[in-house]
Amino acid sequence: MNMHRVLTTLGCALTAVLATAWSAPPPTEPAEPAEPAATTVRTSVPAPFAAISTTVRTPDGRVRGTARDGYRTFEGIPYATPPVGRLRWTPPRRPAPWSGVREATRPASACPQPAGEVPGGSTDEDCLHLNVTTPDTAGPAHPRPVIVWLHGGGFTTGAGSSYDAHRMATRGDVVVVTVNYRLGALGFLAHSGLPGSGTFGLADQQAALRWVRAEIGAFGGDAHNVTLAGESAGGYSVCAQLASPDAAGLFDRAIIESGPCTGRPDRPFAPSSISLNTARAKGAALAAQVGCGAARDVTACLRHVDVAHLLSAQETDQQPAFSTPLLPSDPAAAIAAGRFHRVPVLIGNNHDEGNGWAAGIVQAGHPVTPDTWPDVVATFFPSPGLAKKIVREYPVHRPDGGPVFGAVIGDANFACPTARTDGLLGAKVPVWRYEFADEHAPPLTPGTPPFPLGAPHASELPYLFDLGGRPRHLTAAQNRLADTMIGYWSHFARAADPNGPSLPRWPRQTVVSLAPDHVVPTRTAGHRHHCAFWNTLG
């Protein structure tokens, strides 16, 4: 294994460690006792909504959720047929209707993945489920905007149930849907004998969006006002759906957090896509590794391989494939050419995106010092002459050079690509751009890092969700920032504009800096990064 793969693997391992910060599933309250009307009555709810039903009739069948304090949750609802057996590596199909009342009071299994965000991992392929969180005041007669959330995790880990969305639902007065989609080799394997190669996970996301258009009205969501949102690999998934012809008409707004659409494989920390030829080469290598490379029918052989064996054999890096029917072009190229769906976009990144990876790599025994810095840079940027330019632009003068490494990762992979994506999208559609900049954001991992992390990758998530059902531990000022962010996100979902009553003004064509008691628009956010330098490198 070369040094690039070692360090990249360490970075991915750190992502898994970060994921354990929200790995505990939310505590499940017992379902309401079965009653003839399957209804819970709250005297504190305004009269028009005094009777809050925990049973909802959908086109596929009735589901019974859980009544909570001001909102309801419906968990583990199938949006596609289980992709098992002969349906492994096939496009998602509508689920079969059911009779009676289906319990939706606890999350379904996460899609297969190694241990990390999901304790012990998962090998359950029956995973194409989603979760709905809806305010008590939402109903078919009073529909609310819908936010569909795609989780991050490098296309290898994650689950919709990790994101407790009740604060966004109640404070933002929106319906939130969190989605599982196929991951790793099961989601992105490519082979010439498999229609849909390299994009099964993206196809799952589209199936979930079709479910939302058809069925969310029963839960009080406005099927004609759907915002697709995600972070990291979930944010890049939003980019892919913007560029996918098959996603036309499936959503009305887009929110992209730390998943710039112009990601590229030579910048290995941000998500990106790969060509179908490259994906097929990876698929052939996987088939050989699990003993199917020489089989008469490779796909049939692969469908009999144990899930755990596939997980152990798959590469750490996973990306969707372009030059495919679902994704004809690399999203970066499609967006640069103006070939994307014309919907308003809210996009942003965190000020210190790269610090978490840099800290993990330093702690794993790869210090960044004036002596080691040129070799570390050359490992990640092996093009002739490039490493020297980066070392000159980001000099390390002290033995604790981890923050400099973090700045390189953050600028090259996130901040500057986000600025470029903002410019490309903004030439065609309304775009609002933010930078999350709380330098005292609560840590997502236990222990003491080798240097202060500031606002690293994923640190904005506890301001929007309770991760793993754990109450967030924020200061009073941070809670005010969280309320402001939820206000921006929900107003954007409601009206394609984040500005609303009692919120700091967010003018277009500026970057709003999100920090406690300091939410201000600025035109200089990019100047804190070295984007002019990275722009000269292409």
Side-chain angles (χ1 to χ4, degrees):
M1 182 180 286
N2 61 31
M3 181 58 70
H4 180 269
R5 178 61 60 195
V6 169
L7 296 185
T8 301
T9 301
L10 287 170
C12 293
L14 178 71
T15 302
V17 171
L18 285 171
T20 63
W22 55 86
S23 60
T28 302
E29 297 181 11
E32 296 292 331
E35 298 178 0
T39 298
T40 300
V41 177
R42 298 177 204 252
T43 57
S44 61
V45 177
F49 308 100
I52 305 299
S53 176
T54 57
T55 298
V56 168
R57 184 183 298 276
T58 78
D60 292 327
R62 289 185 295 164
V63 294
R64 179 183 293 117
T66 304
R68 302 180 187 270
D69 186 13
Y71 64 101
R72 292 167 294 155
T73 58
F74 300 85
E75 302 172 281
I77 301 173
Y79 67 85
T81 299
V84 300
R86 290 181 297 174
L87 297 185
R88 180 189 279 183
W89 293 307
T90 63
R93 305 182 183 187
R94 281 191 57 83
W98 57 85
S99 59
V101 178
R102 182 186 181 99
E103 291 296 325
T105 56
R106 63 185 61 220
S109 295
C111 285
Q113 59 191 277
E117 178 176 332
V118 175
S122 171
T123 58
D124 190 350
E125 293 180 84
D126 181 5
C127 65
L128 298 186
H129 300 81
L130 51 76
N131 315 289
V132 178
T133 304
T134 182
D136 277 351
T137 51
H142 303 274
R144 297 297 192 265
V146 180
I147 296 177
V148 177
W149 179 258
L150 303 177
H151 66 77
F155 294 114
T156 58
T157 64
S161 59
S162 295
Y163 298 82
D164 179 338
H166 80 274
R167 295 179 190 272
M168 184 177 290
T170 56
R171 298 184 182 184
D173 197 24
V174 294
V175 174
V176 184
V177 179
T178 63
V179 179
N180 288 355
Y181 54 93
R182 279 174 284 182
L183 302 166
L186 289 164
F188 300 98
L189 177 79
H191 187 275
S192 59
L194 290 174
S197 270
T199 58
F200 298 112
L202 298 181
D204 294 342
Q205 296 167 7
Q206 293 181 359
L209 287 167
R210 286 191 290 271
W211 183 96
V212 168
R213 286 293 203 204
E215 306 200 20
I216 201 62
F219 299 85
D222 185 350
H224 303 291
N225 188 357
V226 175
T227 296
L228 184 61
E231 184 267 346
S232 194
Y236 189 77
S237 294
V238 178
C239 298
Q241 302 300 353
L242 282 170
S244 172
D246 292 349
L250 293 182
F251 57 99
D252 308 286
R253 332 243 191 269
I255 297 176
I256 302 168
E257 301 179 27
S258 300
C261 302
T262 53
R264 36 196 274 191
D266 63 346
R267 309 284 165 83
F269 292 101
S272 63
S273 58
I274 56 177
S275 71
L276 180 58
N277 286 339
T278 300
R280 284 179 173 172
K282 288 188 172 187
L286 176 71
Q289 189 166 349
V290 298
C292 292
R296 177 176 298 178
D297 187 337
V298 173
T299 58
C301 178
L302 284 169
R303 286 187 173 121
H304 285 90
V305 176
D306 181 72
V307 171
H309 193 187
L310 287 172
L311 293 178
S312 65
Q314 72 182 21
E315 288 193 8
T316 302
D317 299 331
Q318 296 288 327
Q319 298 105 341
F322 62 87
S323 301
T324 59
L326 186 146
L327 198 60
S329 300
D330 183 343
I335 288 171
R339 297 191 304 271
F340 59 89
H341 303 305
R342 300 294 194 260
V343 300
V345 177
L346 188 155
I347 187 172
N349 60 276
N350 297 352
H351 184 266
D352 306 294
E353 292 272 8
N355 277 358
W357 281 290
I361 291 169
V362 168
Q363 286 181 313
H366 300 274
V368 178
T369 69
D371 291 335
T372 65
W373 182 226
D375 290 337
V376 170
V377 173
T379 295
F380 284 91
F381 301 92
S383 300
L386 182 55
K388 290 183 179 180
K389 294 179 182 178
I390 295 172
V391 169
R392 285 196 300 268
E393 184 73 15
Y394 296 82
V396 170
H397 299 298
R398 298 164 53 89
D400 53 350
V404 179
F405 187 21
V408 171
I409 294 172
D411 289 358
N413 292 270
F414 295 97
C416 302
T418 297
R420 174 165 168 73
T421 301
D422 174 16
L424 293 172
L425 294 173
K428 302 291 184 181
V429 299
V431 177
W432 279 266
R433 182 171 152 224
Y434 72 88
E435 182 175 77
F436 179 78
D438 183 1
E439 62 180 342
H440 300 296
L444 295 179
T445 56
T448 303
F451 57 87
L453 298 185
H457 191 64
S459 59
E460 88 284 8
L461 291 175
Y463 294 69
L464 300 171
F465 302 96
D466 284 5
L467 301 177
R470 295 188 177 110
R472 57 191 181 189
H473 299 290
L474 304 180
T475 66
Q478 288 172 329
N479 271 309
R480 288 192 292 271
L481 173 60
D483 288 344
T484 296
M485 291 173 62
I486 288 174
Y488 280 147
W489 269 233
S490 58
H491 277 287
F492 177 78
R494 179 167 288 103
D497 185 330
N499 292 288
S502 304
L503 290 171
R505 186 69 184 165
W506 184 344
R508 280 179 58 187
Q509 299 181 331
T510 64
V511 182
V512 69
S513 178
L514 300 173
D517 293 330
H518 192 68
V519 178
V520 294
T522 174
R523 288 182 169 83
T524 61
H527 297 169
R528 297 196 296 270
H529 305 286
H530 294 238
C531 293
F533 168 76
W534 290 104
N535 289 341
T536 64
L537 301 179

